[in-house]
Amino acid sequence: MGLMLHCVILLLLSLSFVYGDIPTTLGGPYKPVTVSLDNNSLGNAIDLPDTDPRLAGPSNHFEPQQIVVSLSYNYDRVYITWITGDFQIGENIYDTDTDVATFVQFGVYGQEMMLSATNDGVLTYDQDLQIEGLSKYRSGLIHRLRLEGLEPDMLYQYQCGDPLKQMSEIHYFRTMPVSDPGNYPARIALVADMGLTYNTTSTVDHMLANHPDLVLLIGDLSYADLYLMNGTASICFECSFQDAPVHESYPPRWDYWGRYMQILTANVPLMVIAGDHDIEPQPTGGDHRAYDLRFGYPMEEDDSRSMSTMYYSFNAGSIHFVMLGAYDQYDKSSPQYKWLENDLLHVDRRVTPWLVAAWHPPWYSSYMTHYGEAECMRVEMEEILFKFGVDLVFNGHVNAYERSNRVYNYTLNPCGPVHITVGGGGNRQDIAIEHVDDEPGNCPVPSDSYCVYNIVSSTPEGKFCWDSQPDYSAYRDSSFGHGILEAKNETHALWTWHRNQDVYLKGEDVIWIVRQPDLCPVGDIPSPRY
């Protein structure tokens, strides 16, 4: 009898480490793995030319284009954003004709579209180009409506535009499930650093094949800032244009990006957070107007309570997402930090047991590119995310893939989050290949910031870089692709990294992320939102 009980215990322990032939985080921390470079992973990091028919402008002033569906805080509201008219660029910018209605008709799929929403608001934005003969860019008309009273986990169909002039084709989106344990979107796609290259098109094709219900794009969208104002491209602006008086940008790349991405964004809700390449300095301020205005965000009118597009939160079924701004103030006295603290205080883990955070630059990365760059943000914010039991963190910025073991303050910790970098969306800067531990010359010179000393004090050798792959780094792979998150219940979520060089639907890095609420309690029941 004792032997049988012992065998049963061993079987249960083995099942906790492997769930359906797939490893789980309960089996970690895992020995670091580096996937050998596959030359097929390099793809084609060349931008689509503006003559590509997929980037073609509208056929007339009234045709809806660059359509984007975005979530509100809860399932019952979504934003539809689109543009009519073409952009203008040059010295002589004329006033845009605003006599175009903002209207959406919608309904449950399979039924007549009897519901509608409308308003009178349209807007444009200008960017100063500051060079002779090409002094200004003006966007087309930007329309946005919030649809309300939606049912949870329901497929809707809709058209947007002007009913008297031109409406879009019929598009579709699925609302998020109601926030209650057991209700989760089927698949959430996560990607970053997309740009508009031939690699980007491969990433989008692979994402569409996975049929996600939601896409999170974690910074660096159009890469318009890798262009001179006359449309000349580069891989590194500072390297190619050292004599430029300002960091230039070519705003039409935003329009090209929006036109191409519509195949995805008009039918799958898209939530974005700003990356460094989404910041376009302007002499009059407003350094991220394209990012601000081309997408919908849960803001003050929603329960997110954020006053900024640079940070906000929302629910996707029983997952609470916190989107943070690495390029906004984040110290403990900043508005963002105070907002974050308030948001986390009001997360009810009985309703949304999963807590996921995302921002652009990773805190835990062993690649040479951007190594240690976000250390100051980590110093300010890691403690509060750990205190409130964040389960997963997603980042971009480093153009490659890396998944960590559970970690907190550079120490393996079963209650720390798993950090996953998904920066291989397809941009023109090529894939990150070299790691800081490959050879001594790969370790970058640390900045003068006090923050870097936290890294020095954390390495076994007391150096700025590890001599071998850090123990926090469980799996790294220099590849373009996207990830799929599938939360199955209150404790288990399946994570899969899909590489562009692989056949559709094949996963390269697959693991169950397992929460342990009994081992890692997150505090008292929160106060209700106000």
Side-chain angles (χ1 to χ4, degrees):
M1 184 69 177
L3 179 60
M4 181 180 294
L5 178 61
H6 179 70
C7 292
V8 170
I9 292 173
L10 287 177
L11 175 62
L12 291 174
L13 285 173
S14 66
L15 288 175
S16 68
F17 298 149
V18 178
Y19 190 81
D21 296 327
I22 297 173
T24 81
T25 52
L26 296 180
Y30 289 99
K31 182 180 179 180
V33 171
T34 298
V35 177
S36 299
L37 180 65
D38 179 353
N39 287 329
N40 292 325
S41 69
L42 303 180
N44 189 354
I46 303 297
D47 275 342
L48 300 182
D50 55 14
T51 55
D52 189 297
R54 291 170 290 186
L55 314 185
S59 59
N60 60 66
H61 183 68
F62 307 111
E63 179 187 354
Q65 55 162 316
Q66 304 181 50
I67 303 169
V68 180
V69 181
S70 306
L71 299 181
S72 185
Y73 186 82
N74 281 315
Y75 68 85
D76 57 345
R77 293 159 285 179
V78 304
Y79 293 95
I80 309 292
T81 305
W82 70 97
I83 292 178
T84 55
D86 208 350
F87 63 83
Q88 302 177 60
I89 189 166
E91 288 188 309
N92 300 314
I93 300 295
Y94 57 83
D95 291 336
T96 306
D97 179 9
T98 59
D99 187 23
V100 184
T102 300
F103 179 84
V104 174
Q105 61 182 15
F106 64 101
V108 173
Y109 175 71
Q111 303 177 12
E112 290 189 50
M113 292 185 286
M114 301 295 291
L115 303 173
S116 64
T118 187
N119 66 35
D120 298 325
V122 294
L123 55 90
T124 63
Y125 71 92
D126 294 345
Q127 284 189 221
D128 292 321
L129 303 183
Q130 306 173 32
I131 56 176
E132 185 177 354
L134 206 65
S135 59
K136 182 171 288 189
Y137 163 91
R138 177 169 292 171
S139 71
L141 292 176
I142 301 174
H143 307 252
R144 181 172 298 111
L145 280 172
R146 187 172 70 178
L147 311 186
E148 301 183 348
L150 305 177
E151 296 297 321
D153 199 17
M154 185 69 68
L155 184 63
Y156 282 86
Q157 56 187 352
Y158 74 96
Q159 290 179 286
C160 60
D162 186 327
L164 299 180
K165 294 173 180 174
Q166 185 166 348
M167 295 290 286
S168 71
E169 297 178 351
I170 296 176
H171 296 287
Y172 309 88
F173 66 88
R174 181 173 294 278
T175 54
M176 295 297 101
V178 66
S179 294
D180 190 47
N183 295 327
Y184 303 95
R187 297 179 189 88
I188 300 173
L190 296 108
V191 67
D193 302 76
M194 291 211 59
L196 189 55
T197 70
Y198 293 97
N199 283 334
T200 308
T201 66
S202 179
T203 300
V204 171
D205 288 346
H206 279 75
M207 272 198 290
L208 289 171
N210 274 317
H211 301 290
D213 293 326
L214 170 64
V215 175
L216 266 64
L217 208 174
I218 310 167
D220 286 0
L221 283 64
S222 74
Y223 282 81
D225 74 324
L226 287 187
Y227 281 75
L228 279 176
M229 298 166 188
N230 61 11
T232 303
S234 72
I235 293 178
C236 166
F237 188 95
E238 289 78 6
C239 309
S240 302
F241 310 120
Q242 296 179 9
D243 297 331
V246 295
H247 190 129
E248 300 178 20
S249 178
Y250 188 60
R253 293 302 297 185
W254 282 101
D255 295 281
Y256 303 152
W257 189 88
R259 292 167 187 167
Y260 172 75
M261 290 294 292
Q262 180 175 298
I263 189 175
L264 175 70
T265 62
N267 300 291
V268 182
L270 174 73
M271 305 304 286
V272 301
I273 198 67
D276 54 314
H277 288 288
D278 304 316
I279 310 298
E280 301 169 283
Q282 290 289 290
T284 56
D287 292 349
H288 38 83
R289 299 204 70 195
Y291 165 84
D292 287 344
L293 300 178
R294 291 174 177 268
F295 310 95
Y297 301 92
M299 296 284 288
E300 179 62 24
E301 67 268 21
D302 292 317
D303 291 334
S304 175
R305 304 289 178 184
S306 172
M307 298 293 290
S308 171
T309 62
M310 300 295 280
Y311 51 88
Y312 60 91
S313 65
F314 65 95
N315 291 329
S318 295
I319 307 172
H320 184 73
F321 283 96
V322 177
M323 311 289 277
L324 298 178
Y327 304 101
D328 201 11
Q329 292 181 332
Y330 47 68
D331 62 86
K332 292 180 175 61
S333 62
S334 67
Q336 177 175 197
Y337 190 94
K338 293 176 181 177
W339 167 85
L340 173 62
E341 184 173 36
N342 181 69
D343 186 82
L344 295 176
L345 279 168
H346 293 88
V347 174
D348 190 340
R349 302 300 281 271
R350 299 168 303 175
V351 176
T352 52
W354 285 92
L355 180 55
V356 178
W359 60 89
H360 187 59
W363 294 347
Y364 291 96
S365 171
S366 58
Y367 285 89
M368 184 177 172
T369 304
H370 303 304
Y371 178 74
E373 194 174 287
E375 182 63 10
C376 289
M377 184 185 183
R378 187 195 70 80
V379 169
E380 295 289 344
M381 287 187 153
E382 185 176 30
E383 182 179 5
I384 191 172
L385 296 183
F386 179 78
K387 172 185 175 182
F388 283 96
V390 168
D391 300 298
L392 278 163
V393 170
F394 290 99
N395 307 113
H397 201 43
V398 176
N399 303 148
Y401 174 74
E402 187 166 18
R403 171 177 55 81
S404 80
N405 286 303
R406 290 194 175 275
V407 60
Y408 171 64
N409 196 26
Y410 291 107
T411 302
L412 298 177
N413 188 311
C415 297
V418 175
H419 292 251
I420 302 177
T421 298
V422 290
N427 72 87
R428 65 177 287 113
Q429 292 182 308
D430 292 324
I431 206 72
I433 296 174
E434 296 183 283
H435 312 101
V436 296
D437 52 86
D438 287 342
E439 53 185 75
N442 279 12
C443 186
V445 177
S447 69
D448 294 332
S449 170
Y450 75 94
C451 306
V452 301
Y453 294 106
N454 294 281
I455 300 179
V456 173
S457 63
S458 301
T459 63
E461 300 83 10
K463 304 175 183 178
F464 183 52
C465 299
W466 273 255
D467 288 340
S468 59
Q469 185 172 353
D471 57 4
Y472 66 72
S473 175
Y475 192 101
R476 59 190 186 188
D477 181 10
S478 295
S479 57
F480 288 107
H482 74 284
I484 293 290
L485 181 67
E486 303 171 73
K488 301 297 185 181
N489 54 44
E490 295 178 45
T491 57
H492 285 69
L494 183 64
W495 168 254
T496 306
W497 174 245
H498 292 271
R499 307 188 304 177
N500 287 358
Q501 71 260 36
D502 296 329
V503 296
Y504 290 129
L505 308 181
K506 177 182 181 296
E508 172 63 20
D509 179 34
V510 186
I511 189 169
W512 286 99
I513 311 297
V514 182
R515 299 179 60 246
Q516 300 183 80
D518 293 336
L519 177 65
C520 310
V522 294
D524 298 330
I525 295 174
S527 304
R529 288 186 175 271
Y530 52 85

